[in-house]
Amino acid sequence: MNGESHGSGASRRALAVAGIGPYRSLSTFLASSTYARRQNEPGICDFTLGNPHQMPPQDYVEALRGAAVPHSDQWFAYKQSTPEAREAAAASLRGHLGIPFDPVDIHLTTGGFAAIALALKTIADPGDEVIYTLPPWFCYEPLVVEAGLVPVKVKARLETFDLDIDAIRAAITPRTRAVIVNSPNNPTGRIYPPVLLEELGAVLEKSSAATGRRIYIISDEPYNRIVFDGAHFHSPAEFYPYTLLAYSYGKTHLSPGQRLGYLALPSELPGREQLGEVITALQVAMGWIYPNAIMQYALPRLEEFSIDIGLLQRKRDRLAGALEEMGYRLIRPEGTFYLFVRSPVLDDEAFAGILAARDVFVLSGTMFETPGFFRISLTASEEMVERSLPAFAAAFDQAAALVG
Ligand code: PLP
């Protein structure tokens, strides 16, 4: 449908964004599903979104409270990326990834969403193709289309949830400008191993040379501190210099309503000074997409702690163990908030309905363009986890009876 036939005055691009399948299923789910009606009922087990289900830690509250007290008359003046916040973020990245980052190459944004949008618009022209892997975070497609770009979707290897490098190689065309890599991955929880990232870098290097056009990686890594069993996260930036790194503090502190993140350019990224100038212009032109002053002042303190990863891991182990015993098939996540579980019946939406009828709410694999699965968010409370177990068991038995 174009702007004329819609009759609303909406632009073609706005209509294209609003009409995107994954975006529509998410917005319908949030606006008019059984979940939308029942989400505030005390008796439900809410495993849907990565939202908190317990009071925020005192440290987080204190960090924001301290930042809200003005130290000067300029405290709440227009802020671009403040030097203290950039310094703290760059130091933390250097520590976590072991590669150089300069504070001036940290471009603070209103969360990971804006960092990805900024990365796309910095390097890609309308009509360029952007490759990403299914199952994806469901907002890649709206972000890509809104930037005037073309999404190219490649399936992950469902037996390991790894990147399928051959499929990515096959999807590259002369119009390919970027590959979005999301590790630790939402929804699978997979952390891509260094050998795979190295292989991807080699493929992109070769393909860029062959087409005469540089292909960038946009490394979307908001979960890079949320890893289990002492796993070590590796960023694609360690293996491929043409990587732009998007990060959000919303996951590290389980506080997605407080918008804070950044787009970081590793020191080895060729052309980063010129790209930095362009990014500054874009951040203004895209609507002053800098975090609020209070979030910027709080950032150095926020770098010093995170949510309780041990608690998340215990919830993962409790749920994964219990589900496996019931007969569910899953690969235990190495990081993130999520379990991506095989649905016991092919129709994952019907199965999500069976669970919902028992007060347990999950997201269907179909919402991640990967039918046959469902996603559980481990941000549910421990009490919800315990209360859900009989319902998961009964739903599995009900599904088995249907199948068989
Ligand atoms: N990237 C991934 C993979 C995500 O899961 C999310 C949020 O769910 C984001 C980016 C955006 O993060 P934020 O809402 O903190 O901007």
Side-chain angles (χ1 to χ4, degrees), residues 110-114 116 137 140 182 186 220 222-223 248-251 256 259-260 338:
T110 47
F113 268 93
I116 298 165
W137 176 48
Y140 289 142
N182 171 220
N186 171 11
D220 178 27
Y223 302 94
S248 167
Y249 290 82
K251 311 299 175 192
R259 312 296 301 159
L260 181 65
Y338 311 110

Side-chain angles (χ1 to χ4, degrees), residues 230-250:
H232 187 71
F233 163 76
H234 288 275
S235 170
E238 295 169 41
F239 303 92
Y240 187 66
Y242 293 87
T243 297
L244 290 78
L245 189 159
Y247 178 71
S248 167
Y249 290 82

